[in-house]
């Protein structure tokens, strides 16, 4: 009877603990003492009866209800990316499970990650490889490692290949045929001769993915900075600290030839820098070549090659003043364009029915408000609170998207007028365009705001000094999708339409006998005028990687878009539409499309 009772008591106690969970631990301390007395009585041979007594059942129910009464909940399984796994577990499952954080820690809507703990997990992994002596190679999709015993009495430098997607291997020569490689000087090992005859070396190539791990504050502002190929190279002798090498080690990273406004710098991961660690270049030098960069460092740790845009403070301030001057001029002429349209509507009844000038004015309004918000945004920066900065970023984003959208609608309207001349009637035409022009950007901004993608954005120079701060995006994916991608779609559509219109204009000019030269010049002016409406000046951003001069050209011409729109509007509709309509294909098309769609 007693052995059965003791076993039944243990099973009952275990089932109660499993049902209650960790959340009931503290609230049930008083009952634990009673259970201990019960267990003691079992050991004395008294045991529990075969049937559960009402009193024991009451104890069980109380232990189940106490956590609910105290407001505590049963603890759920812990998230690895919160830094709560067994951080010294380096089996196959533990590595794969923790490696998921390379992507998850950068996704929208994901829980905050314990970056410091996760980064230390991978820093300690090389020490684990050296000290535990569990394997000589590791071959995983995100991790390639090679471990080898090295004599401290070697007479030559050691060379290893770092070929992507392959396990590092030792080479017999300097291995220049391998674009990615590492050279370890023999003096590194000779300096350890007094303490041991052999040392164990671990070389690791780790793909840190697109998330926030091993990015640090220098790369967290999403200004185009990144780790080359998201690849980090680790070199370790375990607990043996190696610093101050007279003959530095060399790591060669291969890459494509970079534009002149991008700088490459060799860095190592300093776990003691900042709250979570950061990249540092102390003790490292960078030798830039056409399609490779050689990093020389005087210590062993994790290394990487950073790519960052170069905009020194003088350049940033010059571009800022150019943009402000151009935007100021654009605002003045855009305001005059809007006022001129309002005045002309009283004199020319025809303007009330035509859709083309309404679209021009809608574009002028959105561009005017964009320039106004730009002026305010440049002056706000870090002085605004977090909520205010998000609001500024959202408003700036909205009017930017409105500008892109109305430029796309200009192209759509031009397509109907010039390319598709027949069967172009739409009921409430301008109202529908307005719903797209003002409504679609609002939906995009609302979704972006829900994802909390707005925040403080900083432009930094190669010394990591902040040169300009704006309330803009703090999340890279949202920026690329809702700004870069959106602009690319509207710009390509507008460029195709402009190309077709230009082809029609110049085809008509070549078909005109005796007036070819005059119409050709008029055609050129027409194409230039339409370019301002369709936002072709924004396309100059494509050439900014070619050098600093193209960046100045983009800042100048793009900020003057409002001036160009004003000039085009005046040519078309002032002083007399009938006298100017013959000077451009668009004006002729406007006349042909004079019936109101409203």
């Amino acid at each position: 009877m007693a052995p059965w009772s003791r076993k039944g008591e243990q099973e009952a106690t275990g089932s109660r603990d499993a049902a209650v969970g960790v959340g009931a631990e503290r609230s049930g301390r008083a009952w634990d003492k009673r259970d201990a007395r019960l267990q003691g009585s079992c050991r004395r041979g008294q045991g529990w009866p075969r049937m559960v007594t009402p009193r024991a059942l009451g104890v069980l129910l109380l232990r189940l209800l106490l956590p609910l009464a105290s407001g505590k909940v049963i603890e759920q399984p812990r998230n690895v990316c919160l830094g709560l796994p067994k951080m010294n577990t380096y089996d196959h499952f533990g590595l794969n499970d923790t490696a998921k954080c390379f992507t998850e820690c950068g996704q929208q809507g994901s829980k905050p990650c314990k970056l410091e703990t996760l980064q230390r997990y991978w820093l300690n992994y090389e020490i684990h490889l050296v000290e535990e002596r569990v394997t000589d190679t590791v071959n995983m999709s995100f991790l390639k490692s090679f471990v080898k015993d090295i004599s401290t009495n070697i007479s030559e430098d050691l060379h290893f290949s770092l070929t992507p997607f392959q396990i590092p291997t030792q080479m017999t020569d300097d291995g220049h045929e391998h674009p990615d490689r590492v050279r370890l000087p023999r003096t590194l090992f000779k300096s350890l001769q007094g303490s041991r005859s052999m040392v164990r070396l671990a070389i690791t190539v780790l793909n840190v993915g697109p998330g926030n791990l091993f990015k640090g504050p220098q790369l967290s502002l999403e200004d185009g900075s990144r780790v080359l190929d998201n690849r980090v190279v680790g070199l370790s002798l375990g607990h043996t600290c190696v610093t101050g090498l007279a003959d530095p080690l060399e790591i060669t990273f291969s890459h494509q030839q970079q534009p002149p406004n991008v700088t490459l710098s060799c860095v190592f991961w300093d776990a003691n820098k900042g709250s979570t660690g950061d990249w540092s270049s102390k003790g490292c030098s960078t030798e830039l070549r056409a399609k490779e960069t050689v990093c020389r460092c005087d210590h062993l740790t994790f290394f990487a090659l950073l790519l960052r845009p170069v905009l020194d403070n003088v350049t940033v301030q010059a571009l800022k003043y150019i943009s402000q001057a151009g935007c100021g001029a654009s605002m003045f002429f855009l305001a005059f364009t809007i006022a001129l349209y309002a005045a002309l509507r009283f004199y020319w009844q025809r303007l009330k029915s035509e859709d083309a000038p309404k679209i021009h004015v809608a574009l002028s309004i959105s561009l005017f408000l964009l320039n106004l918000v730009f002026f305010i945004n440049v002056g706000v920066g870090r002085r605004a609170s977090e909520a205010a900065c998000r609001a500024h970023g959202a408003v700036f984003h909205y009017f930017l998207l409105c500008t892109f959208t109305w430029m796309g609608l200009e192209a759509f309207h031009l397509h109907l007028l010039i390319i598709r001349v027949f069967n172009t009637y739409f009921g409430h035409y301008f109202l529908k365009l307005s719903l797209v022009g003002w409504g679609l950007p609002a939906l995009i901004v609302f979704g972006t705001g829900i994802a909390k993608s707005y925040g403080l954005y900083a432009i930094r120079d190669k010394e990591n000094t902040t040169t300009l701060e704006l309330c803009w995006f703090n999340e890279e994916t949202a920026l690329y999708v809702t700004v870069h991608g959106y602009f690319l779609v509207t710009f390509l559509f507008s460029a195709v339409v402009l190309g077709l219109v230009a082809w029609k204009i110049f085809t008509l000019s070549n078909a005109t006998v005796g007036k070819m030269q005059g119409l050709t010049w008029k055609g050129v002016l027409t194409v230039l005028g339409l370019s301002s409406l369709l936002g072709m000046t924004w396309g100059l951003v494509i050439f900014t990687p070619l050098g600093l001069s193209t960046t100045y050209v983009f800042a100048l011409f793009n900020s003057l878009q409002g001036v160009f729109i004003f000039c085009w509007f005046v040519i078309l509709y002032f002083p007399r539409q009938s006298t100017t309509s013959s000077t451009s294909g668009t004006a002729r098309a406007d006349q042909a499309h004079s019936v109101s769609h409203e």
Side-chain angles (χ1 to χ4, degrees):
M1 183 75 174
W4 178 91
S5 299
R6 187 178 302 112
K7 180 178 180 181
E9 178 192 2
Q10 292 172 352
E11 292 176 352
T13 304
S15 63
R16 284 181 295 164
D17 290 341
V20 174
V22 180
E25 182 178 353
R26 295 181 180 176
S27 60
R29 287 177 180 174
W31 301 104
D32 290 339
K33 295 179 180 180
R34 180 172 179 81
D35 289 347
R37 291 195 296 270
L38 289 173
Q39 291 172 3
S41 64
C42 289
R43 284 192 295 270
R44 289 191 295 269
Q46 297 177 3
W48 280 8
R50 185 178 299 272
M51 299 296 294
V52 180
T53 65
R55 188 170 186 177
L57 182 61
V59 171
L60 178 60
L61 291 175
L62 281 174
R63 293 198 63 178
L64 288 171
L65 294 175
L66 276 175
L68 300 177
S70 60
K72 297 181 180 179
V73 296
I74 299 176
E75 186 174 351
Q76 300 298 323
R78 297 184 173 183
N79 188 343
V80 173
C81 299
L82 293 179
L84 300 175
K86 295 180 180 180
M87 298 308 293
N88 294 323
T89 302
Y90 294 111
D91 56 16
H92 189 272
F93 175 80
L95 290 172
N96 276 284
D97 200 31
T98 311
K100 297 176 183 177
C101 304
F102 288 140
T103 301
E104 293 179 4
C105 288
Q107 291 180 339
Q108 294 186 14
S110 62
K111 295 181 179 179
C113 295
K114 293 289 185 180
L115 298 180
E116 181 181 9
T117 306
L118 290 170
Q119 287 159 175
R120 194 168 297 279
Y121 174 89
W122 294 105
L123 291 173
N124 291 338
Y125 177 63
E126 279 200 322
I127 298 178
H128 168 79
L129 287 176
V130 173
E131 302 297 336
E132 299 298 327
R133 298 176 178 267
V134 291
T135 183
D136 291 334
T137 59
V138 177
N139 187 8
M140 308 179 78
S141 60
F142 56 89
L143 175 67
K144 310 292 181 182
S145 294
F146 175 71
V147 185
K148 182 178 178 62
D149 291 320
I150 307 294
S151 171
T152 58
N153 192 30
I154 60 174
S155 58
E156 296 180 349
D157 298 342
L158 297 182
H159 301 269
F160 299 88
S161 68
L162 301 176
T163 305
F165 311 112
Q166 294 184 14
I167 300 175
T169 56
Q170 186 175 359
M171 301 178 295
T172 56
D173 52 12
D174 56 6
H176 282 288
E177 68 276 8
H178 295 273
D180 295 84
R181 57 192 183 274
V182 59
R183 179 189 70 86
L184 297 176
R186 60 183 179 275
T187 54
L188 185 159
F189 302 98
K190 286 186 175 295
S191 62
L192 304 174
Q193 277 185 333
S195 58
R196 66 194 77 177
S197 60
M198 299 287 293
V199 293
R200 190 168 171 86
L201 170 69
I203 302 177
T204 301
V205 180
L206 183 64
N207 189 331
V208 296
N212 296 327
L213 265 73
F214 289 105
K215 298 303 189 292
Q218 293 192 35
L219 304 182
S220 62
L221 296 172
E222 311 297 354
D223 59 351
S225 303
R226 60 187 176 89
V227 176
L228 178 68
D229 298 329
N230 291 320
R231 190 172 49 150
V232 176
V233 177
L235 302 169
S236 176
L237 295 179
H239 289 296
T240 303
C241 182
V242 178
T243 58
L245 294 174
D247 186 8
L249 61 93
E250 290 184 1
I251 303 178
T252 302
F253 295 95
S254 64
H255 51 75
Q256 298 296 323
Q257 188 167 359
Q258 300 298 316
N261 65 332
V262 172
T263 181
L264 298 94
S265 56
C266 299
V267 292
F268 73 94
W269 186 258
D270 188 351
N272 299 319
K273 187 176 181 181
S275 59
T276 61
D278 198 2
W279 294 109
S280 174
S281 59
K282 185 177 180 180
C284 292
S285 63
T286 305
E287 180 184 344
L288 301 177
R289 298 175 183 174
K291 293 187 177 182
E292 66 179 19
T293 298
V294 180
C295 300
R296 296 182 177 89
C297 298
D298 62 357
H299 54 280
L300 299 184
T301 184
F302 273 81
F303 301 94
L305 187 64
L306 296 191
L307 284 75
R308 292 184 292 185
V310 179
L311 282 178
D312 57 80
N313 188 55
V314 175
T315 302
V316 170
Q317 295 303 319
L319 292 173
K320 174 183 173 181
Y321 294 144
I322 291 174
S323 299
Q324 287 180 328
C327 290
S330 288
M331 289 178 63
F332 174 80
F333 284 97
L334 287 169
F336 200 73
T337 301
I338 299 169
L340 180 62
Y341 171 76
L344 290 177
R345 280 176 62 95
F346 289 100
Y347 293 99
W348 290 337
Q349 184 67 26
R350 194 169 192 174
L351 279 181
K352 296 182 180 180
S353 60
E354 291 185 356
D355 294 314
K358 296 177 184 178
I359 299 175
H360 301 340
V361 171
L363 174 60
S364 300
I365 293 173
S366 63
L367 192 57
F368 175 86
L369 294 175
L370 174 64
N371 290 330
L372 178 62
V373 175
F374 170 74
F375 270 103
I376 298 174
N377 203 354
V378 170
V380 172
R382 189 174 290 276
R383 292 180 299 173
S385 63
E386 183 177 357
C389 192
R390 288 181 178 177
H392 280 290
V395 174
F396 190 30
H397 187 206
Y398 173 72
F399 288 117
L400 179 64
L401 294 182
C402 287
T403 302
F404 291 159
T405 306
W406 279 109
M407 289 188 299
L409 293 176
E410 287 273 13
F412 174 74
H413 184 70
L414 190 62
H415 170 74
L416 295 182
L417 297 181
I418 307 297
I419 310 302
R420 185 183 174 186
V421 180
F422 303 102
N423 300 324
T424 58
Y425 177 81
F426 297 97
H428 303 288
Y429 177 66
F430 184 72
L431 176 61
K432 293 178 180 178
L433 292 184
S434 298
L435 289 176
V436 176
W438 304 111
L440 180 59
L443 293 177
I444 296 175
V445 170
F446 179 76
T448 307
I450 292 296
K452 297 182 179 180
S453 299
Y454 300 116
L456 190 65
Y457 177 89
I459 298 176
R460 298 171 180 266
D461 59 14
K462 58 184 178 181
E463 282 79 26
N464 199 34
T465 303
T466 300
T467 56
L468 182 64
E469 289 181 325
L470 298 171
C471 291
W472 189 224
F473 279 84
N474 58 11
E475 207 284 323
E476 181 181 17
T477 303
L479 174 63
Y480 282 129
V481 173
T482 65
V483 177
H484 298 175
Y486 193 87
F487 163 74
L488 186 61
V489 171
T490 56
F491 176 78
L492 290 178
F493 173 69
S494 301
V496 170
V497 172
L498 182 63
L500 294 175
V501 171
W503 176 77
K504 277 187 169 289
I505 291 174
F506 292 114
T507 301
L508 177 63
S509 299
N510 293 331
T512 304
V513 180
K515 299 182 179 181
M516 177 178 173
Q517 184 175 3
L519 286 178
T520 299
W521 277 107
K522 292 176 182 178
V524 171
L525 293 176
T526 299
V527 172
L528 291 177
L530 292 175
S531 298
S532 64
L533 293 177
L534 303 185
M536 292 300 105
T537 54
W538 290 84
L540 294 174
V541 71
I542 300 174
F543 302 101
T544 54
L546 299 179
L548 194 57
S549 58
T550 56
T551 304
Y552 281 107
V553 172
F554 166 73
L556 176 63
F557 282 92
N558 194 57
S559 62
L560 293 175
Q561 184 183 7
V563 180
F564 302 146
I565 292 177
F566 168 78
C567 295
W568 178 249
F569 192 86
V570 169
I571 291 174
L572 284 181
Y573 302 106
F574 191 83
R576 194 157 53 91
Q577 186 176 7
S578 60
T579 61
T580 58
S581 61
S582 60
T583 63
S584 76
T586 302
R588 287 196 301 273
D590 288 348
Q591 285 184 331
H593 197 68
S594 60
V595 179
S596 174
H597 293 108
E598 296 182 305

